[in-house]
Amino acid sequence: MIRLSLIILFVVDTCYSDAVIVTIDWNDITHTSNTSLTLLVVENPLLRRESPIHDTVFQSLNQLQTDYTRFLTWYPYPRLAVAELEPPSGLSQCKNVPYLSNLTLTCALSGGRINKIEFASFGTPTGTCGNYTIGQCHSNKTMSVIRKLCLFRRICTVYVTNDLFDGDPCPGMNKRLAVQITCYPPQNNTYWDFTTLDPLVEDFLNATQGHSSIIDFSTQPRWLYTLPAIDQYPDSDDQVDWNYPAGIELIDKTGQQIGDYYGRLAAWYTKGGFIDEYGRKHVSNHYYNISIWEVLNEVDFEHWNGIEQYTLIYDSVVESVRKMVDPEQNIKFVGLSLGNPSEFTKFSYFLNSSNHRPNIPLDWISYHFYAFPTSRTDPRTYEQFFPQTDVFVEKVKNIETIRRALSPLTRTTINELGVILPDDNNPNAEAIPLIYWNAAAAAFAYIFCQLAPLGIDVIGSSQLVGYPQLSVLGGLSPQFPSVALLDWNTGIGNARYWTLTLLHSHFQAGSKAVRTDVSGVAQPRIYAQAWVCNQQKHKLLLINTKFGEVNVTIENSAGSIAWIVDKFSNESGARSLRMSSDTLLITEYAVVVIELVLPPSITFKTYLSILYILWFDENSFIVAAALILLFMIYYKKS
Ligand SMILES: *[C@@H]1O[C@H](CO)[C@@H](O)[C@H](O)[C@H]1NC(C)=O
Ligand SMILES: *[C@@H]1O[C@H](CO)[C@@H](O)[C@H](O)[C@H]1NC(C)=O
Ligand SMILES: *[C@@H]1O[C@H](CO)[C@@H](O)[C@H](O)[C@H]1NC(C)=O
Ligand SMILES: *[C@@H]1O[C@H](CO)[C@@H](O)[C@H](O)[C@H]1NC(C)=O
Ligand SMILES: *[C@@H]1O[C@H](CO)[C@@H](O)[C@H](O)[C@H]1NC(C)=O
Ligand SMILES: *[C@@H]1O[C@H](CO)[C@@H](O)[C@H](O)[C@H]1NC(C)=O
Ligand SMILES: *[C@@H]1O[C@H](CO)[C@@H](O)[C@H](O)[C@H]1NC(C)=O
Ligand SMILES: *[C@@H]1O[C@H](CO)[C@@H](O)[C@H](O)[C@H]1NC(C)=O
Ligand SMILES: *[C@@H]1O[C@H](CO)[C@@H](O)[C@H](O)[C@H]1NC(C)=O
Ligand SMILES: *[C@@H]1O[C@H](CO)[C@@H](O)[C@H](O)[C@H]1NC(C)=O
C-alpha cells in the first residue's frame, strides 16, 4: 500500500504529458554573463519640469539603479537638444521671432548701444543672420518702427503685433519679425542658450546619481553643414521637427568647428563654463562627472556622408573634449551608434586604428536593433519579434568577429533595443493592445539571453518614455509610443519597465548560465535559461515567446518563489507566488524568474536510485519510505 502510494506520488509529481519540461544541469556552466542591463533616456517634452508626469518619470528612472544609463538629446525637438541654434554672427546681431512674441536685442556685452538697424522685416523674411532677405510678404513700416523702438538704446524688446506695424501686411499668412543690428562699441555675437537643456541634464544626472551614465548630445547644430533651403526650426520647445537634421557636408571640413561645439558643451557641464568662439567666457557653475561620452547617434540616418566623415568627426570631438576638459584622458568615448543594419559592415573601417588620427581611443562601439511586426494590433504577429531577434544576433556575431580581430579591447554597448509598431507616429493610429507590452518585454528578455553568451558588455532598452498624440503641454504629437518603458499618462512602469527591473535585479554581470534543456510537445514556445547568480542562488528565467499559454514543469521547483511579469501583473511590478507543485502555467508572452530551492546534494537521479534500492529491500522499505516522505515535505516547505 505504501509502495503503491509512493509510485503514485512519484508519477503525479513529475509527469505532465502535455507540459513543457525544463531540465537543468547545474554543474554544466555554459558561460558567465558579462552583460549589464540598462536603458535609454531620450529627452522630450514629457521630461521637462513643466510636464505633468516629470516627477514620477524621474522617480521611475531613479528606482532602476542601472549603470551605463544612456542620455540622448535627439533631434525631433531642436530646442531641447541644441545649445547653439544660430551660428556665431560676428559683429551683426540677429533675432527672428514669430507673431505674438517678444524680440529682444541688446548691446550689453560691449556696454554700448544699438547704432545701426541693418535689416528689419515683418512678414515672411527668409535666410539667416548676415543674409536676410525680404520674402513675399513684408510690411514696409518695419524699418521705421524698429528704428523708433531700438536705435540708440542699450536694449530693446519688441512685442510683435499687427497693430505695431499699422495693420496686417498679409492676412492669413504666418508672419515673423526678423531684425539685424550692430552695436557701438562693436560687439561679437553668439547664441548659446542652455535654458531648456540644463534642467533635463540636471534631472537625469540626479536620478542616476551613484551610477555611471553615457551622455550623448547627439543633435548637431545644422548650421555646421552646407544647407539646402530649409524651414525655420520650431519656435516652441514642445513642437516636433522631423526635418531638423539637414545637410550632409561639413562647412569646416577639418572637423574643428564641430569638435569645438562638443568641447564647449563638455566644458559647460564639467568645468563650470567655457570660452566662446570670440573669446568670451560663459559661466555655468556645473561640475558634473561625465565619464562616458558618446559621439553622435544614428549618423547612418542623419547627415550621413560616409564612414570617413563620421570617423573624422569622432576624432575631432575626442580631441576637442580632451583639450577643453580632459587633459588627463579619463573620459571614455563611444563611437558610431549605428541604427541601420546595412551599415554594420562599417565597423571594420571604424575599428581599424589606422583610419584614425594618432592617440584616438576606441573605448566603446554602439549600435541598435528594433523589431518591426507586421501588425500594430494583432498580438499573434508579436511572435515575429523572436525570429527577427535571431537574425540580428547573427549580425552581432559578425560585428564581434570584426571587433575581436581589429580592436579586441573595445567594449560594446548595444544601446537601443526595442520594438517599433507600424504607424507609430500617426496621430490617428489605433491604441496599442495591453498584451503588446508583455510581448515587447519578452523580446527584451530573449535578446538578453542571446547576447549575454556573446560577451556583450551593455544592452540598453529603448526608451524611458514615448507617447501617442497627447493634450498635455499644449498638445504633443506622437513620439514612438511603442518604445516606451513608462505609461505616458502616469510615469509609472509598464511590463517592459518591470521586466527590465526583474532582469536587472536578478541577473547581474557575473551570473553563470548553466545547461538548460526544454522538451515537450508544446515546443518551441518556452525559452528557458537557468543561472547560478550572486550568493549561489539558483534561478531560472522562462520566456513565453508565443501568443498562447503553456504548463511548464521544472523538477524540484515546488515551493519555490516565482516572479512573473505577465498580463496579470500590474503597475506595481512583477507579481510573485509560491509554486504549489512542480508545474507552472505560463501565459502568453510572460517573463518569469523562479528562484529554485534545491535539495543540497540529493538530485533527482540519486532520489531515483535510492527508490530503486529500497524497492528490493523489503526490511528497510517502510522506515526509508517514511524518511523520504519527510524529506520531500521538508523541501517543499522551505
Ligand atoms: C514680452 O515682454 C513683456 C515685457 O518684457 C512681458 O511683459 C511679456 O510677458 C512678454 N510677452 C511674451 C509673450 O513673452
Ligand atoms: C551669405 O550668402 C553669401 C552668398 O550666398 C555667402 O557667400 C555668405 O557666406 C553668406 N553669409 C553668411 C553670414 O551666411
Ligand atoms: C508701403 O506699402 C503701401 C501699400 O502696401 C504703399 O501704399 C506705400 O506707398 C508703401 N510705402 C512706401 C514708403 O513704400
Ligand atoms: C570679433 O571677433 C573677431 C574674430 O572672430 C575679432 O578679430 C574681433 O576683434 C572681434 N571684435 C570685437 C569687438 O570683439
Ligand atoms: C535629486 O534626486 C532626489 C532623489 O530622486 C530628489 O529627491 C531631489 O529632489 C532631486 N533634486 C533635484 C534638484 O532634482
Ligand atoms: C566619475 O564617475 C565614474 C563612473 O561612475 C567613477 O568611476 C569616478 O570615480 C567618478 N569620478 C569622480 C571624480 O567622482
Ligand atoms: C587598416 O587600415 C589600413 C589603412 O586603411 C589598411 O591598409 C589595413 O589593411 C587595414 N587593416 C585591416 C586589418 O583591415
Ligand atoms: C566585461 O569584461 C571586461 C573584461 O573582462 C571587463 O573589463 C568589463 O568591465 C566587463 N563588463 C561588464 C559590463 O561588467
Ligand atoms: C495546465 O495544467 C492545468 C492543471 O493540470 C490544466 O487544467 C490546464 O488545462 C493546463 N493548461 C495548458 C495550457 O496545458
Ligand atoms: C497589483 O498587484 C499587486 C501584487 O500582485 C497587488 O498587491 C496590488 O493590489 C495590485 N494593484 C492593483 C492596482 O491592482
Side-chain angles (χ1 to χ4, degrees), residues 48-106:
R48 296 180 56 218
R49 290 184 183 160
E50 292 76 6
S51 153
I53 62 168
H54 167 274
D55 294 358
T56 31
V57 164
F58 282 99
Q59 273 157 24
S60 294
L61 175 61
N62 176 260
Q63 275 160 20
L64 281 165
Q65 297 289 307
T66 42
D67 294 301
Y68 304 108
T69 313
R70 177 171 179 246
F71 178 78
L72 181 78
T73 61
W74 198 38
Y75 70 82
Y77 298 96
R79 288 188 170 272
L80 303 182
V82 178
E84 197 184 20
L85 278 163
E86 298 288 340
S89 58
L91 298 177
S92 295
Q93 181 185 153
C94 298
K95 280 288 152 62
N96 172 5
V97 302
Y99 184 60
L100 296 185
S101 55
N102 280 322
L103 176 141
T104 299
L105 299 158
T106 171

Coordinates of all heavy atoms in Angstrom, one line a residue, residues 48-106:
R48 N 10.4 67.4 -19.3 CA 10.6 68.8 -18.9 C 9.9 69.0 -17.5 O 9.0 68.3 -17.2 CB 10.1 69.8 -19.9 CG 10.8 69.7 -21.2 CD 10.3 70.7 -22.2 NE 10.3 72.0 -21.7 CZ 9.4 73.0 -21.8 NH1 8.3 72.7 -22.5 NH2 9.5 74.1 -21.2
R49 N 10.4 70.0 -16.8 CA 9.9 70.2 -15.4 C 8.4 70.6 -15.5 O 7.7 70.4 -14.5 CB 10.7 71.2 -14.6 CG 12.1 70.6 -14.3 CD 12.9 71.5 -13.4 NE 14.2 70.9 -13.2 CZ 15.3 71.5 -12.9 NH1 15.3 72.8 -12.7 NH2 16.5 70.8 -12.7
E50 N 8.0 71.2 -16.6 CA 6.6 71.6 -16.8 C 5.7 70.4 -17.1 O 4.5 70.5 -17.0 CB 6.5 72.5 -18.0 CG 7.2 73.9 -17.8 CD 8.7 73.9 -17.9 OE1 9.3 72.8 -18.3 OE2 9.3 74.9 -17.7
S51 N 6.2 69.2 -17.3 CA 5.4 68.1 -17.7 C 4.7 67.6 -16.5 O 5.2 67.5 -15.4 CB 6.3 66.9 -18.2 OG 5.8 65.7 -17.9
P52 N 3.4 67.2 -16.7 CA 2.6 66.7 -15.5 C 3.1 65.4 -14.9 O 2.8 65.1 -13.8 CB 1.2 66.5 -16.1 CG 1.4 66.4 -17.6 CD 2.6 67.2 -17.9
I53 N 4.0 64.7 -15.6 CA 4.5 63.4 -15.1 C 6.0 63.5 -14.8 O 6.6 62.5 -14.5 CB 4.2 62.2 -16.0 CG1 4.9 62.4 -17.4 CG2 2.7 62.0 -16.1 CD1 4.8 61.1 -18.2
H54 N 6.5 64.7 -14.8 CA 8.0 64.9 -14.6 C 8.5 64.1 -13.4 O 9.5 63.4 -13.5 CB 8.3 66.4 -14.5 CG 9.7 66.7 -14.0 ND1 10.0 66.7 -12.7 CD2 10.9 66.8 -14.7 CE1 11.3 66.9 -12.5 NE2 11.9 67.0 -13.7
D55 N 7.9 64.3 -12.2 CA 8.4 63.8 -11.0 C 8.4 62.2 -11.0 O 9.3 61.6 -10.6 CB 7.7 64.3 -9.8 CG 7.9 65.8 -9.6 OD1 8.7 66.4 -10.4 OD2 7.3 66.4 -8.6
T56 N 7.2 61.7 -11.5 CA 7.2 60.2 -11.5 C 8.1 59.6 -12.5 O 8.7 58.6 -12.3 CB 5.8 59.7 -11.8 OG1 5.1 60.6 -12.6 CG2 5.0 59.4 -10.5
V57 N 8.3 60.3 -13.6 CA 9.2 59.8 -14.6 C 10.6 59.7 -14.0 O 11.3 58.6 -14.2 CB 9.3 60.7 -15.9 CG1 10.5 60.4 -16.7 CG2 8.0 60.6 -16.7
F58 N 11.1 60.7 -13.4 CA 12.4 60.6 -12.8 C 12.5 59.7 -11.6 O 13.6 59.1 -11.4 CB 13.0 62.0 -12.5 CG 13.4 62.7 -13.8 CD1 12.6 63.6 -14.5 CD2 14.7 62.4 -14.4 CE1 13.0 64.2 -15.7 CE2 15.0 63.0 -15.6 CZ 14.2 63.9 -16.2
Q59 N 11.4 59.6 -10.8 CA 11.4 58.6 -9.8 C 11.6 57.2 -10.3 O 12.3 56.3 -9.8 CB 10.1 58.7 -8.9 CG 10.2 59.7 -7.8 CD 8.8 60.2 -7.4 OE1 7.8 59.5 -7.6 NE2 8.8 61.3 -6.8
S60 N 10.8 56.9 -11.4 CA 10.9 55.6 -12.0 C 12.3 55.3 -12.5 O 12.8 54.2 -12.4 CB 9.9 55.5 -13.2 OG 8.6 55.6 -12.7
L61 N 12.9 56.3 -13.1 CA 14.3 56.2 -13.6 C 15.2 55.9 -12.4 O 16.1 55.0 -12.5 CB 14.7 57.4 -14.3 CG 16.2 57.5 -14.8 CD1 16.5 56.4 -15.8 CD2 16.5 58.8 -15.4
N62 N 15.1 56.7 -11.4 CA 15.9 56.5 -10.2 C 15.8 55.1 -9.6 O 16.8 54.5 -9.1 CB 15.5 57.6 -9.2 CG 16.3 57.5 -7.9 OD1 15.8 57.0 -6.9 ND2 17.6 57.9 -7.9
Q63 N 14.6 54.6 -9.6 CA 14.4 53.3 -8.9 C 15.1 52.1 -9.6 O 15.4 51.1 -9.0 CB 12.9 52.9 -8.9 CG 12.2 53.6 -7.7 CD 10.7 53.7 -7.9 OE1 10.1 53.0 -8.7 NE2 10.0 54.5 -7.1
L64 N 15.4 52.3 -10.9 CA 16.1 51.2 -11.6 C 17.5 51.0 -11.1 O 18.0 49.9 -11.2 CB 16.1 51.5 -13.1 CG 14.8 51.3 -13.9 CD1 14.8 51.9 -15.2 CD2 14.6 49.8 -14.0
Q65 N 18.2 52.1 -10.8 CA 19.6 52.0 -10.3 C 20.5 51.3 -11.3 O 21.4 50.5 -10.9 CB 19.6 51.2 -8.9 CG 18.9 51.9 -7.8 CD 19.6 53.2 -7.3 OE1 20.8 53.1 -7.0 NE2 18.9 54.3 -7.3
T66 N 20.3 51.5 -12.5 CA 21.1 50.9 -13.6 C 22.4 51.7 -13.7 O 22.5 52.8 -13.5 CB 20.4 50.9 -14.9 OG1 19.8 52.2 -15.1 CG2 19.3 49.9 -15.0
D67 N 23.4 50.9 -14.2 CA 24.7 51.5 -14.7 C 24.6 51.8 -16.2 O 23.8 51.2 -16.8 CB 25.8 50.6 -14.4 CG 26.0 50.5 -12.9 OD1 26.3 51.5 -12.2 OD2 25.9 49.3 -12.4
Y68 N 25.5 52.6 -16.7 CA 25.6 52.9 -18.1 C 24.3 53.4 -18.7 O 24.0 53.2 -19.9 CB 26.0 51.6 -18.9 CG 27.3 51.0 -18.4 CD1 27.3 49.8 -17.7 CD2 28.5 51.6 -18.6 CE1 28.5 49.3 -17.2 CE2 29.7 51.1 -18.2 CZ 29.7 49.9 -17.5 OH 30.9 49.3 -17.1
T69 N 23.5 54.1 -17.9 CA 22.2 54.6 -18.4 C 22.6 55.7 -19.4 O 23.4 56.5 -19.2 CB 21.4 55.2 -17.2 OG1 21.3 54.2 -16.2 CG2 20.0 55.5 -17.7
R70 N 21.9 55.6 -20.6 CA 22.3 56.5 -21.7 C 21.3 57.7 -21.8 O 20.1 57.5 -21.8 CB 22.3 55.7 -23.0 CG 22.6 56.5 -24.2 CD 22.8 55.5 -25.3 NE 23.1 56.1 -26.6 CZ 22.2 56.0 -27.7 NH1 21.1 55.4 -27.6 NH2 22.6 56.6 -28.8
F71 N 21.8 58.9 -21.8 CA 21.0 60.1 -22.0 C 21.3 60.6 -23.4 O 22.5 60.8 -23.8 CB 21.4 61.1 -21.0 CG 20.7 62.4 -21.2 CD1 19.4 62.6 -20.7 CD2 21.3 63.5 -21.7 CE1 18.7 63.8 -20.9 CE2 20.7 64.7 -21.9 CZ 19.4 64.9 -21.4
L72 N 20.2 60.8 -24.2 CA 20.4 61.2 -25.6 C 19.5 62.4 -25.9 O 18.3 62.3 -25.7 CB 19.9 60.0 -26.5 CG 20.0 60.2 -28.0 CD1 21.5 60.0 -28.5 CD2 19.2 59.2 -28.7
T73 N 20.1 63.5 -26.4 CA 19.3 64.6 -26.8 C 19.1 64.3 -28.3 O 20.0 64.5 -29.1 CB 20.0 65.9 -26.7 OG1 21.3 65.9 -27.4 CG2 20.4 66.2 -25.2
W74 N 17.8 64.0 -28.6 CA 17.5 63.6 -30.0 C 16.9 64.7 -30.8 O 16.2 65.6 -30.2 CB 16.6 62.3 -29.9 CG 16.5 61.5 -31.2 CD1 17.6 61.3 -32.0 CD2 15.4 60.9 -31.7 NE1 17.1 60.5 -33.1 CE2 15.8 60.3 -32.9 CE3 14.0 60.8 -31.3 CZ2 14.9 59.5 -33.7 CZ3 13.2 60.1 -32.0 CH2 13.6 59.5 -33.2
Y75 N 17.0 64.6 -32.1 CA 16.7 65.8 -32.9 C 15.3 66.3 -33.1 O 15.1 67.5 -33.4 CB 17.3 65.6 -34.3 CG 16.6 64.6 -35.2 CD1 15.5 64.9 -35.9 CD2 17.1 63.3 -35.3 CE1 14.8 64.0 -36.6 CE2 16.5 62.4 -36.0 CZ 15.3 62.7 -36.7 OH 14.7 61.8 -37.4
P76 N 14.3 65.5 -32.8 CA 12.9 66.0 -33.2 C 12.5 67.2 -32.4 O 11.6 67.9 -32.8 CB 12.0 64.8 -32.8 CG 12.8 63.6 -32.9 CD 14.2 64.0 -32.4
Y77 N 13.2 67.5 -31.3 CA 12.9 68.7 -30.5 C 14.2 69.6 -30.5 O 14.9 69.6 -29.5 CB 12.5 68.4 -29.1 CG 11.2 67.6 -29.1 CD1 11.2 66.2 -29.0 CD2 9.9 68.3 -29.3 CE1 10.0 65.5 -29.1 CE2 8.8 67.5 -29.3 CZ 8.8 66.2 -29.2 OH 7.6 65.5 -29.3
P78 N 14.5 70.3 -31.6 CA 15.8 71.0 -31.6 C 16.0 71.9 -30.4 O 17.1 72.0 -29.9 CB 15.7 71.8 -32.9 CG 14.6 71.2 -33.7 CD 13.7 70.5 -32.8
R79 N 15.0 72.5 -29.9 CA 15.1 73.5 -28.8 C 15.5 72.7 -27.5 O 16.0 73.4 -26.5 CB 13.9 74.3 -28.5 CG 13.7 75.3 -29.6 CD 12.5 76.2 -29.3 NE 12.6 77.3 -30.2 CZ 13.3 78.4 -30.1 NH1 14.0 78.6 -29.0 NH2 13.3 79.3 -31.1
L80 N 15.2 71.4 -27.4 CA 15.6 70.7 -26.2 C 16.9 70.0 -26.4 O 17.4 69.2 -25.6 CB 14.6 69.6 -25.9 CG 13.1 70.1 -25.7 CD1 12.2 69.0 -25.3 CD2 13.1 71.2 -24.6
A81 N 17.5 70.1 -27.6 CA 18.7 69.3 -27.9 C 19.9 70.0 -28.3 O 21.0 69.5 -28.2 CB 18.3 68.3 -29.1
V82 N 19.8 71.3 -28.8 CA 20.9 72.0 -29.4 C 21.2 73.2 -28.6 O 20.2 74.0 -28.3 CB 20.6 72.4 -30.9 CG1 21.8 73.2 -31.4 CG2 20.4 71.2 -31.7
A83 N 22.4 73.4 -28.2 CA 22.7 74.6 -27.3 C 23.0 75.9 -28.0 O 23.1 76.9 -27.4 CB 23.9 74.2 -26.4
E84 N 23.3 75.8 -29.3 CA 23.6 76.9 -30.1 C 22.9 76.8 -31.4 O 23.4 76.4 -32.4 CB 25.1 76.9 -30.3 CG 25.7 78.3 -30.8 CD 27.2 78.2 -31.1 OE1 27.8 77.1 -31.3 OE2 27.9 79.2 -31.1
L85 N 21.6 77.3 -31.4 CA 20.7 77.1 -32.5 C 21.1 78.0 -33.7 O 20.8 77.6 -34.9 CB 19.3 77.3 -32.2 CG 18.6 76.0 -31.5 CD1 17.3 76.4 -30.8 CD2 18.3 74.9 -32.5
E86 N 21.7 79.1 -33.5 CA 22.1 80.0 -34.5 C 23.6 80.1 -34.6 O 24.3 80.0 -33.5 CB 21.5 81.4 -34.3 CG 20.0 81.5 -34.2 CD 19.4 81.3 -35.6 OE1 20.1 81.5 -36.6 OE2 18.2 80.9 -35.7
P87 N 24.2 80.2 -35.8 CA 25.7 80.3 -35.8 C 26.2 81.6 -35.3 O 25.5 82.6 -35.3 CB 25.9 80.2 -37.3 CG 24.7 80.7 -38.0 CD 23.6 80.3 -37.1
P88 N 27.4 81.6 -34.8 CA 28.0 82.9 -34.4 C 28.0 83.9 -35.5 O 28.2 83.5 -36.7 CB 29.5 82.5 -34.1 CG 29.5 81.0 -34.0 CD 28.4 80.5 -34.8
S89 N 27.6 85.1 -35.2 CA 27.3 86.0 -36.3 C 28.2 87.3 -36.4 O 27.8 88.3 -36.9 CB 25.8 86.4 -36.3 OG 25.5 87.0 -35.1
G90 N 29.3 87.2 -35.7 CA 30.3 88.3 -35.8 C 29.7 89.6 -35.2 O 29.0 89.6 -34.2
L91 N 29.9 90.7 -35.9 CA 29.5 92.0 -35.4 C 28.1 92.3 -35.6 O 27.5 93.2 -35.0 CB 30.4 93.1 -36.0 CG 31.9 92.9 -35.7 CD1 32.7 94.0 -36.4 CD2 32.2 93.0 -34.2
S92 N 27.4 91.5 -36.4 CA 26.0 91.7 -36.6 C 25.3 90.8 -35.5 O 25.8 89.8 -35.2 CB 25.5 91.2 -38.0 OG 26.0 92.1 -39.0
Q93 N 24.1 91.4 -35.1 CA 23.3 90.6 -34.2 C 21.9 90.4 -34.8 O 21.3 91.4 -35.3 CB 23.2 91.3 -32.8 CG 22.4 90.5 -31.8 CD 22.2 91.3 -30.5 OE1 21.3 91.0 -29.8 NE2 23.1 92.2 -30.2
C94 N 21.4 89.2 -34.7 CA 20.1 89.0 -35.3 C 19.1 88.4 -34.3 O 19.5 87.6 -33.4 CB 20.2 88.0 -36.5 SG 21.2 88.7 -37.8
K95 N 17.8 88.6 -34.6 CA 16.7 87.9 -33.9 C 15.6 87.7 -34.9 O 15.4 88.6 -35.8 CB 16.2 88.7 -32.7 CG 17.0 88.6 -31.5 CD 16.9 87.2 -30.8 CE 18.2 86.9 -30.0 NZ 18.5 87.8 -28.9
N96 N 14.9 86.6 -34.8 CA 14.0 86.2 -35.8 C 12.9 85.5 -35.0 O 13.1 84.4 -34.5 CB 14.7 85.3 -36.7 CG 13.8 84.6 -37.7 OD1 12.6 84.9 -37.8 ND2 14.4 83.7 -38.5
V97 N 11.7 86.1 -34.8 CA 10.7 85.5 -33.9 C 9.3 85.6 -34.5 O 9.1 86.4 -35.5 CB 10.6 86.3 -32.5 CG1 12.0 86.3 -31.8 CG2 10.1 87.7 -32.7
P98 N 8.4 84.7 -34.1 CA 7.1 84.6 -34.7 C 6.2 85.7 -34.2 O 6.5 86.4 -33.1 CB 6.6 83.3 -34.3 CG 7.3 83.0 -33.0 CD 8.6 83.6 -33.1
Y99 N 5.1 85.9 -34.9 CA 4.0 86.8 -34.5 C 3.6 86.5 -33.0 O 3.6 85.4 -32.6 CB 2.8 86.5 -35.5 CG 1.6 87.3 -35.3 CD1 1.7 88.7 -35.5 CD2 0.4 86.7 -35.1 CE1 0.5 89.5 -35.4 CE2 -0.8 87.5 -35.0 CZ -0.7 88.9 -35.1 OH -1.8 89.6 -35.1
L100 N 3.2 87.6 -32.3 CA 2.8 87.5 -30.9 C 3.9 86.9 -30.0 O 3.6 86.1 -29.2 CB 1.5 86.7 -30.8 CG 0.3 87.3 -31.4 CD1 -1.0 86.4 -31.1 CD2 0.0 88.7 -31.0
S101 N 5.1 87.4 -30.2 CA 6.1 87.1 -29.2 C 7.1 88.2 -29.1 O 7.0 89.2 -29.9 CB 6.9 85.8 -29.6 OG 7.4 85.8 -30.8
N102 N 8.0 88.2 -28.2 CA 8.9 89.3 -28.0 C 10.2 89.1 -28.7 O 10.8 88.0 -28.8 CB 9.3 89.3 -26.5 CG 8.2 90.0 -25.7 OD1 7.6 91.0 -26.1 ND2 8.0 89.5 -24.5
L103 N 10.7 90.1 -29.3 CA 12.0 90.1 -29.9 C 12.9 91.1 -29.1 O 12.6 92.2 -28.9 CB 11.9 90.6 -31.4 CG 13.2 90.8 -32.2 CD1 13.0 90.3 -33.6 CD2 13.8 92.2 -32.1
T104 N 14.0 90.5 -28.6 CA 14.9 91.3 -27.7 C 16.3 91.4 -28.4 O 16.9 90.4 -28.8 CB 15.0 90.7 -26.3 OG1 13.7 90.7 -25.8 CG2 15.9 91.5 -25.4
L105 N 16.8 92.6 -28.4 CA 18.2 92.9 -28.9 C 18.9 93.6 -27.8 O 18.3 94.5 -27.1 CB 18.2 93.7 -30.1 CG 17.4 93.1 -31.3 CD1 17.0 94.2 -32.3 CD2 18.3 92.1 -32.0
T106 N 20.2 93.3 -27.6 CA 20.9 94.0 -26.5 C 22.4 94.2 -26.9 O 23.0 93.4 -27.5 CB 20.8 93.3 -25.2 OG1 21.7 93.9 -24.3 CG2 21.1 91.8 -25.3

